[in-house]
Amino acid sequence: MQHVQVRGQEAADRKSVFYVTTPIYYVNSLPHIGHAYTTIAADVVARWQRLRGGEVVFATGTDEHGAKNAQVAEERGISPQEHVDAVAAAYQAEWEALGISYDCFIRTTDPQHMRTVQHVFRTLQEGGLIYRAPYEGWYCVADETFVAESDMVDGKCPNPECGRPLVRVSEESHFFRASAFAERLEALIGQGEDFIGPRARRNEVLGLLRGGLRDTCVSRATVPWGVPVPGEEGPTIYVWFDALVNYLTVAGYPDDVERFAAVWPPDLQLMGKEILPRFHGTVWPAMLMGLGLALPKCLYAHGWWTVEGQKMSKRLGNVVDPVVLAQSLAAKTGAEVGVAADAVRYFVMREIPFGADGDFSVQHLLGRFNADLANDLGNLLNRVLPQVVARFEGKVPEGVVEEAVGASRLRALGEMEGRLEALDFSGALSALWEHVRGLNKYLDTAAPWSRTAEHERRAVGAVFYNVLEELRAVATAVEPFMPTVASRLRESAGAPAESEGWEAAKALNRLASGRAVRKGAPLFPRVDLGKTMLSISKEESPVSGSATISMAQFQQMDLRVAEVVEAERVAGTDRLLRLVVSLGSEGRTVVAGIGDRYQPEALVGRQLVLLANLEPVTIRGIRSEGMILAVGEKAVEGLLTTDGQVTVGGKVR
Ligand code: MSP
């Protein structure tokens, strides 16, 4: 690898620890598949490095300061600290459920980090690299970015993912002299092939640099929720400056000299494509140059996920929470929750090439679950284990790895090594699956189940040995992607459950004959593609495995014929009516927004349709126990009713 050469580089080459980071996530919303994607990728890299015997620091965390986080806390009616504590805990729980093996979870409200931020600020200030000047311009609170007038699009935020209105800012500020480093940075990026990836992002950064690197505003006069500018009353340090410093805090900067020498610089910094070019590609290296520190070895950006062709948004109800998804997959298939979480990890790493944009769909997830996991991998186990139990007392038979089988394994593992080093996760998995499919073919050809004669026993045992020994090796190879599955595979194959390292995965004939295999429930029970729907968000959402719902789901809705007994307007509104309806055996009070179309007295005696098991809510002090069905997007056009008199309380089916 050809790395960028900067001051401190000799030390960087001697360092002992592999340091990988994710961005730190804003706590203005809960974790979703976009955040999980970066974090899973970083986890795969960290686990891969550990498998190869390296010492790793894998850091992730939460970005807790700034106007946006404070705004969300206010909307929730709680203090910013209460808010950030709760969301940081939600992130930690999410990562735990997804098997993320981080070594550090950094929070920017941590006092240690705040001291580091102030130290960095002061050092740059003392070096003449931070100066005071007024800022007059625009700010996007959602993105926490200053926007130059010339970059605005129709007066709004230029980020195509955002496009929100901007606020006008006019305040005394501090600027970081990023412009001082533009030329050096351009030259370094031009030299260091691997510094920024993929290539398109590198070109984007070079483009930005050629356009001229502007000094960046690094304080906010009017945002109290932040790290105070050292030695001043009032202003706080701009949230991005604060956030970028997290990578230094994790490495022990500035006080823990020993740790810093072992950890710095980062070997790999992963992130989404929108935060690479400007913040990580220019401001961050300029800050490090200003501090005289080595630059990260590689900054790499992945693409963005859409969901069933659409941008993820709360409004559309299509924000995918991978843990909800895994739980739902487990509930629908009967798979263990940890295995289902691994399936989600596998899917996001396998489905799209790292660096490109991708589209999430439940159907694709289920498709891969059935094809790659249930059919290819799961089946291999299911075809062998019952036979080993029935014919070899459940113990690994005697055998040696056949030449072709061993060669196929070594080919796959060799290719995986190259692909993983190049962050081609999908290619790595695809290479391994070649081998897994090959093993299924090997079994088809050897057809041990039809060779039941006693004189075949030894040969048949050897076939099973081959498959079990390969499953042991495959377990290690999938471990960075699917850690729970890896230990289940090892246990099933009769190998020790604990991780054994990459060299062991390459070693042939390592599985000891005579050890007990474990035949449990299928690891990946197949799903019915046409019928299975998965929940994707904490709140139920309209997106599903297909555009249909199952009969069972329809039957969960208790739709009843309701006869209106009383009707009156809710005081102070034109739109709301308070209805008392009869369901035959019981009465219900319902508040319905139909008053602009119907007079209350005209409704008494009419038969309408009520969704009777909707969670009750209180509207204007009245408890509403159900929902009257009506037609019309904004204004009510009509009410659902029956064709002639029917039984009151009758179920709609
Ligand atoms: N707090 C900053 C990062 C500071 S790092 C010093 C931030 N936070 S974020 O929560 O908004 O986003 C964090 C990451 O999530 C980014 O890498 C972003 O690309 C990723 N994703 C958010 N939505 C995404 C998708 N829909 N798809 C893929 N990743 C996306 O930015």
Side-chain angles (χ1 to χ4, degrees):
M1 278 229 239
Q2 185 192 359
H3 295 304
V4 175
Q5 293 296 313
V6 287
R7 205 135 53 97
Q9 191 61 45
E10 312 79 63
D13 290 340
R14 283 201 310 272
K15 77 181 194 122
S16 53
V17 173
F18 188 95
Y19 180 24
V20 54
T21 67
T22 73
I24 49 172
Y25 304 107
Y26 286 132
V27 289
N28 59 308
S29 63
L30 291 170
H32 60 55
I33 195 158
H35 311 121
Y37 187 47
T38 331
T39 316
I40 292 169
D43 189 58
V44 170
V45 171
R47 287 178 184 274
W48 160 243
Q49 292 295 335
R50 291 189 200 112
L51 263 187
R52 309 215 65 191
E55 197 186 330
V56 174
V57 170
F58 164 22
T60 187
T62 36
D63 188 354
E64 304 184 356
H65 287 129
K68 184 165 60 168
N69 291 331
Q71 198 178 61
V72 172
E74 196 180 313
E75 280 160 19
R76 292 183 65 194
I78 55 177
S79 73
Q81 193 62 53
E82 281 172 310
H83 168 68
V84 300
D85 286 349
V87 183
Y91 266 95
Q92 286 168 346
E94 183 91 359
W95 299 155
E96 161 109 42
L98 289 176
I100 304 297
S101 62
Y102 60 77
D103 300 290
C104 298
F105 189 94
I106 168 106
R107 299 182 55 189
T108 55
T109 51
D110 180 37
Q112 171 75 37
H113 170 73
M114 292 172 67
R115 278 195 296 277
T116 307
V117 174
Q118 290 189 324
H119 174 88
V120 169
F121 195 95
R122 213 179 293 112
T123 309
L124 295 174
Q125 203 171 26
E126 284 164 6
L129 293 169
I130 286 181
Y131 60 91
R132 281 164 181 277
Y135 178 79
E136 175 75 45
W138 298 93
Y139 193 80
C140 174
V141 177
D143 275 358
E144 296 283 16
T145 44
F146 296 95
V147 178
E149 188 110 15
S150 53
D151 292 341
M152 285 171 35
V153 175
D154 299 332
K156 300 214 171 111
C157 176
N159 172 5
E161 300 294 332
C162 177
R164 291 190 180 81
L166 302 167
V167 290
R168 185 79 189 163
V169 173
S170 170
E171 57 192 33
E172 245 332 275
S173 297
H174 299 76
F175 280 78
F176 168 53
R177 211 180 289 282
S179 58
F181 303 97
E183 268 176 42
R184 259 178 78 194
L185 196 53
E186 193 180 329
L188 287 172
I189 295 172
Q191 277 170 31
E193 282 287 314
D194 297 323
F195 179 39
I196 292 177
R199 208 168 177 83
R201 300 280 97 80
R202 179 167 174 262
N203 293 341
E204 235 177 296
V205 177
L206 285 172
L208 275 181
L209 290 169
R210 284 184 198 125
L213 190 56
R214 280 189 287 251
D215 290 352
T216 53
C217 187
V218 289
S219 69
R220 293 300 315 272
T222 53
V223 177
W225 184 241
V227 180
V229 169
E232 292 185 32
E233 284 287 312
T236 55
I237 295 173
Y238 172 44
V239 62
W240 262 101
F241 185 99
D242 169 358
L244 288 164
V245 171
N246 95 81
Y247 304 129
L248 286 166
T249 310
V250 167
Y253 186 78
D255 300 326
D256 193 339
V257 178
E258 218 171 288
R259 178 176 169 88
F260 193 68
V263 173
W264 197 260
D267 293 82
L268 178 63
Q269 302 210 267
L270 293 175
M271 68 206 74
K273 64 180 182 182
E274 85 290 7
I275 58 173
L276 193 147
R278 219 164 92 67
F279 292 113
H280 286 85
T282 60
V283 178
W284 173 227
M287 282 166 68
L288 291 173
M289 285 177 174
L291 294 168
L293 298 174
L295 302 193
K297 294 187 182 176
C298 178
L299 301 167
Y300 202 94
H302 62 71
W304 269 59
W305 285 92
T306 48
V307 173
E308 317 243 346
Q310 283 177 304
K311 218 174 101 175
M312 262 194 291
S313 83
K314 277 194 201 146
R315 192 179 51 79
L316 291 176
N318 66 351
V319 178
V320 178
D321 177 339
V323 172
V324 172
L325 192 64
Q327 285 163 345
S328 174
L329 183 62
K332 291 281 160 64
T333 58
E336 197 188 317
V337 180
V339 169
D342 276 4
V344 173
R345 290 171 59 113
Y346 172 84
F347 173 75
V348 293
M349 291 288 100
R350 177 70 186 87
E351 186 70 0
I352 52 166
F354 200 62
D357 291 335
D359 188 44
F360 173 87
S361 100
V362 170
Q363 278 301 294
H364 289 166
L365 168 70
L366 296 177
R368 282 219 178 266
F369 184 85
N370 273 355
D372 301 6
L373 300 178
N375 272 7
D376 295 339
L377 186 54
N379 234 358
L380 202 52
L381 274 180
N382 303 342
R383 294 171 85 190
V384 167
L385 291 183
Q387 293 272 324
V388 173
V389 169
R391 296 170 68 181
F392 294 88
E393 299 89 44
K395 302 218 171 91
V396 178
E398 300 272 338
V400 284
V401 174
E402 288 180 33
E403 204 178 314
V405 173
S408 158
R409 182 207 308 183
L410 294 180
R411 201 167 42 245
L413 298 188
E415 186 161 348
M416 279 189 88
E417 286 171 9
R419 302 236 176 214
L420 284 171
E421 290 301 323
L423 304 180
D424 177 4
F425 303 111
S426 181
L429 287 169
S430 146
L432 182 63
W433 251 251
E434 278 289 308
H435 180 51
V436 171
R437 283 194 206 102
L439 291 169
N440 274 307
K441 288 203 195 101
Y442 165 75
L443 263 184
D444 293 343
T445 313
W449 37 85
S450 58
R451 295 156 65 183
T452 48
E454 190 48 34
H455 73 275
E456 292 264 47
R457 185 178 162 81
R458 226 182 143 73
V460 163
V463 170
F464 291 139
Y465 180 83
N466 269 262
V467 176
L468 293 173
E469 160 68 356
E470 290 315 304
L471 281 167
R472 173 194 68 79
V474 167
T476 303
V478 290
E479 187 172 316
F481 298 90
M482 300 196 283
T484 303
V485 166
S487 52
R488 296 295 173 274
L489 283 178
R490 278 194 284 263
E491 285 166 348
S492 309
E498 45 296 341
S499 179
E500 48 176 21
W502 190 249
E503 288 313 309
K506 286 177 162 176
L508 302 179
N509 303 315
R510 211 177 130 90
L511 183 64
S513 302
R515 283 185 61 107
V517 300
R518 186 187 290 177
K519 182 184 157 306
L523 208 49
F524 306 108
R526 279 183 65 86
V527 289
D528 185 339
L529 285 186
K531 295 210 181 116
T532 311
M533 288 222 326
L534 298 179
S535 309
I536 59 164
S537 306
K538 288 221 167 61
E539 315 75 20
E540 268 310 305
S541 87
V543 179
S544 64
S546 64
T548 56
I549 61 167
S550 66
M551 193 60 186
Q553 280 168 320
F554 170 69
Q555 280 167 347
Q556 280 175 4
M557 292 196 284
D558 189 16
L559 292 167
R560 301 294 193 89
V561 174
E563 192 165 292
V564 181
V565 182
E566 286 173 27
E568 61 176 14
R569 278 191 198 278
V570 175
T573 83
D574 290 335
R575 216 173 55 81
L576 298 181
L577 300 186
R578 173 183 165 277
L579 307 179
V580 176
V581 297
S582 166
L583 294 179
S585 55
E586 60 169 319
R588 293 280 180 98
T589 301
V590 182
V591 177
I594 56 175
D596 42 7
R597 175 85 171 75
Y598 293 93
Q599 295 301 332
E601 46 288 0
L603 291 172
V604 176
R606 286 189 63 178
Q607 290 194 332
L608 306 175
V609 179
L610 178 81
L611 176 58
N613 60 345
L614 187 69
E615 196 179 343
V617 286
T618 303
I619 303 171
R620 302 245 171 181
I622 305 165
R623 190 173 152 85
S624 178
E625 307 158 311
M627 182 170 82
I628 294 291
L629 300 193
V631 181
E633 279 282 301
K634 285 198 181 101
V636 175
E637 293 173 30
L639 290 168
L640 260 69
T641 182
T642 57
D643 176 21
Q645 283 298 110
V646 296
T647 312
V648 175
K651 189 164 166 60
V652 179
R653 58 194 181 92

